[in-house]
Amino acid sequence: LSSKSKPSADIASSIGAILQDEGFSEFGFAELKQPFSIALYEEWLEKGFHGEMDYLVRHLPLKKDPQSLLNSQNGGKARSAIVVTKNYVPHPEPIENWPILELGTIAAYARGKDYHHFLKASLARVIERLQVLLPNEVFCAYTDSAPVLERDLAARAGLGWIGKNTCVISRQKGSLFFLAEIYTSLDPALLQPPEKPGPDHCGTCTRCIDACPTKALVAPRVLDARRCISYLTIESREIPPEELREGIGSCFFGCDICQNVCPWNKKPIATANTNENSNLNRDDLVNDLQFVLRSSGRSLEKAFLGTPLSRAGSFGLKRNALVVAANLNLTECLPEIDALLDHERLGELAKWAKEKLLRHPKTT
Ligand code: B12
Ligand code: SF4
Ligand code: SF4
């Protein structure tokens, strides 16, 4: 049956059944229009809050005019989006027997296989089935890296509100989930999307803003990425400014602090029974950081292949290890730090780490 000969409620529920069957229990539909918050996005870029992430500037025209994205790629005109969430606590594709992922110093989303691969693969299966159901329509899946303002789109699709920590939060699921979407030529009237985003449930709470160790949440719903630990440990290709290094604390890759303190995540974290707040095992941590500090680029690439950690590259991982070793007083790492003192790009940070370790004697 073509979309024209099927009643809209049928189409929406048939799509829903396919999504559920492929493991997407939370989804919503949205009309593709200029995002509600595009002016906020432009203001954010003008203030330079994106730091080195120049691709966010290049994405502006396509984010502003979402219908043109599919058009620019395969000639189909997108009018609607099917937006899905995928919880990452517990991680849907964990990696067994990988000690570095047990440490609590790695953001929850990264403690498993790279979601860009497995989410796209699941959505490709969804699209195959949608294409059989609706052969005259066009579908294309995206997650994270495409020029899509995903949080705005998710709010538009009724999946949650934008919290003061800038994350999309659902009353039932909290915020510890990925977002992904299928752009489609389907007429939005057939999907009956909500008319406006749902209500905000942050109220007078400011826990996320107060808990951020580097004061990156400069106002409710405004994040200066240049101060955010997630940016400093994943996206940035630079050495973090000295005044932010201590705030990075034990975060080796990414940061969940503003989400872990959020009352809306209390239940999902408790239900998943994760080791979110467990104490770090010092010996394991020392071993892992020593491994990162002394390994060649090629060995690190091999060790983290297929995981989000590969995004930081050998330079980024060693940089992060230096900061964490210094912040946690891991004097056992001094020989590896010494070996990096003459490194062209890491030398200054290695010197800082060494001086900090020698100032603070080992405490445990
Ligand atoms: C760049 C980027 C980052 C940057 C900047 C983040 C930021 N807050 O701006 C850095 C590297 C810091 C980062 C960190 C993280 N990220 Co990130 N990131 C992105 C990316 C690629 C683009 C986001 C962007 O354009 N930022 C610029 C700001 C201005 O836009 P925005 O965050 O979308 O915010 C908009 C809304 O908040 C909106 N808004 C504000 N008020 C209101 C009110 C209403 C009513 C509406 C509708 C909208 C609205 O205005 C903003 C501008 O449009 C998206 C994927 C994508 N394609 O969208 C993932 C994405 C946002 N990241 C994600 C995740 C998981 C993370 C981390 C948790 C990873 C980690 N553990 O380290 C942290 C969380 C840090 C945080 N508090 O945001 C998820 C978020 C899922 C969710 N539940 O919200 C996304 C969607 C990736 C995905 N596909 O799953 N990220
Ligand atoms: S992710 Fe960490 S550093 Fe970034 S805003 Fe949240 S608490 Fe602050
Ligand atoms: S911690 Fe409080 S203010 Fe921050 S996102 Fe959660 S509910 Fe909103």
Side-chain angles (χ1 to χ4, degrees):
L1 283 181
S2 81
S3 56
K4 289 189 186 59
S5 57
K6 248 184 166 240
S8 63
D10 275 13
I11 290 183
S13 58
S14 306
I15 295 175
I18 293 176
L19 289 168
Q20 302 247 19
D21 202 35
E22 296 292 343
F24 296 104
S25 55
E26 294 269 306
F27 54 85
F29 303 118
E31 180 173 359
L32 282 179
K33 284 202 220 165
Q34 175 157 305
F36 295 111
S37 63
I38 197 69
L40 291 176
Y41 185 73
E42 289 188 277
E43 210 178 293
W44 189 81
L45 293 173
E46 270 160 29
K47 290 194 169 132
F49 286 162
H50 59 292
E52 300 157 44
M53 297 181 288
D54 290 338
Y55 66 91
L56 294 176
V57 180
R58 288 196 298 277
H59 283 175
L60 178 61
L62 286 169
K63 282 182 167 168
K64 212 172 186 166
D65 179 16
Q67 291 201 351
S68 59
L69 175 61
L70 197 58
N71 200 17
S72 70
Q73 289 182 346
N74 62 7
K77 192 167 169 54
R79 297 170 70 195
S80 312
I82 303 164
V83 191
V84 301
T85 72
K86 188 75 174 173
N87 284 15
Y88 55 70
V89 175
H91 201 284
E93 301 261 338
I95 295 177
E96 303 302 333
N97 306 321
W98 198 23
I100 203 156
L101 291 179
E102 306 298 325
L103 295 172
T105 59
I106 293 176
Y109 90 90
R111 287 184 225 151
K113 293 186 189 152
D114 192 334
Y115 70 105
H116 297 91
H117 306 314
F118 68 76
L119 268 186
K120 280 269 193 79
S122 308
L123 288 178
R125 286 194 297 276
V126 170
I127 289 180
E128 256 178 49
R129 294 175 65 178
L130 290 177
Q131 209 68 78
V132 173
L133 181 73
L134 302 159
N136 298 326
E137 307 292 346
V138 176
F139 301 95
C140 194
Y142 306 106
T143 186
D144 188 53
S145 50
V148 175
L149 210 48
E150 290 185 319
R151 285 167 162 166
D152 189 289
L153 193 66
R156 188 185 278 272
L159 292 173
W161 74 98
I162 311 286
K164 290 181 191 171
N165 60 8
T166 78
C167 296
V168 176
I169 308 175
S170 134
R171 286 185 79 172
Q172 292 74 34
K173 301 261 175 179
S175 65
L176 297 161
F177 52 75
F178 302 114
L179 290 173
E181 53 284 328
I182 295 174
Y183 274 26
T184 167
S185 52
L186 264 175
D187 180 349
L190 295 169
L191 300 172
Q192 298 171 323
E195 275 165 23
K196 53 181 180 71
D200 179 313
H201 295 283
C202 281
T204 55
C205 175
T206 56
R207 284 191 208 188
C208 51
I209 297 173
D210 303 338
C212 174
T214 49
K215 302 285 162 241
L217 293 164
V218 291
R221 300 175 189 81
V222 183
L223 181 147
D224 181 349
R226 296 167 303 180
R227 301 187 67 84
C228 177
I229 297 167
S230 180
Y231 168 83
L232 294 168
T233 57
I234 304 173
E235 297 297 318
S236 171
R237 299 290 169 258
E238 305 288 337
I239 300 292
E242 193 160 349
E243 77 269 18
L244 298 180
R245 290 178 197 164
E246 283 199 10
I248 293 173
S250 63
C251 296
F252 172 68
F253 188 87
C255 172
D256 288 331
I257 294 169
C258 59
Q259 295 195 88
N260 287 346
V261 298
C262 178
W264 295 100
N265 282 328
K266 211 170 160 187
K267 208 167 129 204
I269 290 176
T271 315
N273 192 20
T274 61
N275 59 356
E276 222 52 53
N277 297 316
S278 63
N279 289 330
L280 298 178
N281 176 327
R282 184 187 172 105
D283 291 342
D284 284 351
L285 186 54
V286 166
N287 277 337
D288 290 337
L289 294 181
Q290 284 174 333
F291 166 73
V292 170
L293 288 169
R294 80 165 93 86
S295 294
S296 66
R298 189 172 285 218
S299 313
L300 290 175
E301 206 179 294
K302 207 170 143 206
F304 298 117
L305 189 72
T307 78
L309 275 80
S310 61
R311 182 158 176 84
S314 148
F315 165 79
L317 294 173
K318 286 179 192 290
R319 168 198 64 195
N320 300 350
L322 284 170
V323 175
V324 172
N327 283 340
L328 298 184
N329 284 337
L330 303 179
T331 41
E332 297 91 326
C333 294
L334 271 170
E336 284 77 16
I337 294 175
D338 273 338
L340 289 170
L341 287 173
D342 294 327
H343 189 283
E344 194 188 345
R345 297 187 61 213
L346 291 164
E348 185 270 323
L349 189 65
K351 189 161 168 274
W352 169 84
K354 181 172 182 175
E355 281 168 7
K356 189 165 159 56
L357 284 173
L358 295 179
R359 265 199 319 274
H360 297 281
K362 188 171 161 180
T363 50
T364 53

